[in-house]
Amino acid sequence: MPFTMTPTTDIIYHDPGSRVQSPRPGTPEPSSRQGRRNTQPDTQLLDDDGAISQKLEACLKHIFTKYCSPPPPAISISRKSLGLFLLSPPEGAYLTPEGLDQWARDTNGAPFSQETKDELIEFLDVTDDGGLTLKGFMQIYQLQTENDEEETWRDLSNHGFDRTLTLVSTRREDDTEQHPIAEPPPTGSTES
């Protein structure tokens, strides 16, 4: 039998530099698990054990801090002169009903229904008064990321994070009057 070559115009090449890695970018590849599809290994939402990654945890703490009570200590230096840095919630912080509604509006465009709020109080970590704790906030994102990674990426984007989990400037992040900012870590800090 004679050997024939397939014309190169009939071969579809995979372009590794392409932003679209799948013909169905909103669905996981068969060999992947939710939360671990990002092509850069240090920017996964979930770690190998299925827990929230350290980078995602830092992002979520920043988001939580923008809406928590008590608020973080404010500083007098403008954000533009400092550059962008991640906020950290004070010990014992929680989301009041108003903070929860504002977070839901900024994230999804509307506050949660009363039914959803009741489910949060019933199933997640809350204060005695029903305020969502940081642990409860992390539980929301643990469940969401396990079930719908793209929804978590959309939420992160709505709060100014890119696909490398880096805070980039957005109109919300530039609004320092609404969300006072905490002291940045010391310059000589070795934290990453």
Side-chain angles (χ1 to χ4, degrees), residues 13-58:
Y13 292 100
H14 173 69
D15 178 8
S18 171
R19 286 184 32 198
V20 179
Q21 297 297 316
S22 165
R24 303 171 322 226
T27 59
E29 295 304 314
S31 63
S32 72
R33 295 180 301 198
Q34 288 286 49
R36 292 178 286 286
R37 290 192 301 146
N38 205 338
T39 57
Q40 296 179 359
D42 63 334
T43 56
Q44 301 303 310
L45 298 180
L46 300 177
D47 64 20
D48 290 337
D49 297 325
I52 289 177
S53 70
Q54 288 181 341
K55 278 189 157 186
L56 176 57
E57 183 177 339

Side-chain angles (χ1 to χ4, degrees), residues 97 100-101 111-122 130:
L100 181 67
D101 284 345
F112 290 130
S113 67
Q114 188 58 49
E115 180 182 357
T116 300
K117 290 177 187 178
D118 292 343
E119 288 177 9
L120 293 176
I121 291 170
E122 183 177 350

Side-chain angles (χ1 to χ4, degrees), residues 73-94:
I75 60 172
S76 60
I77 304 169
S78 79
R79 168 172 254 134
K80 291 186 188 303
S81 67
L82 288 173
L84 298 176
F85 62 91
L86 297 182
L87 302 173
S88 186
E91 188 70 32
Y94 61 94

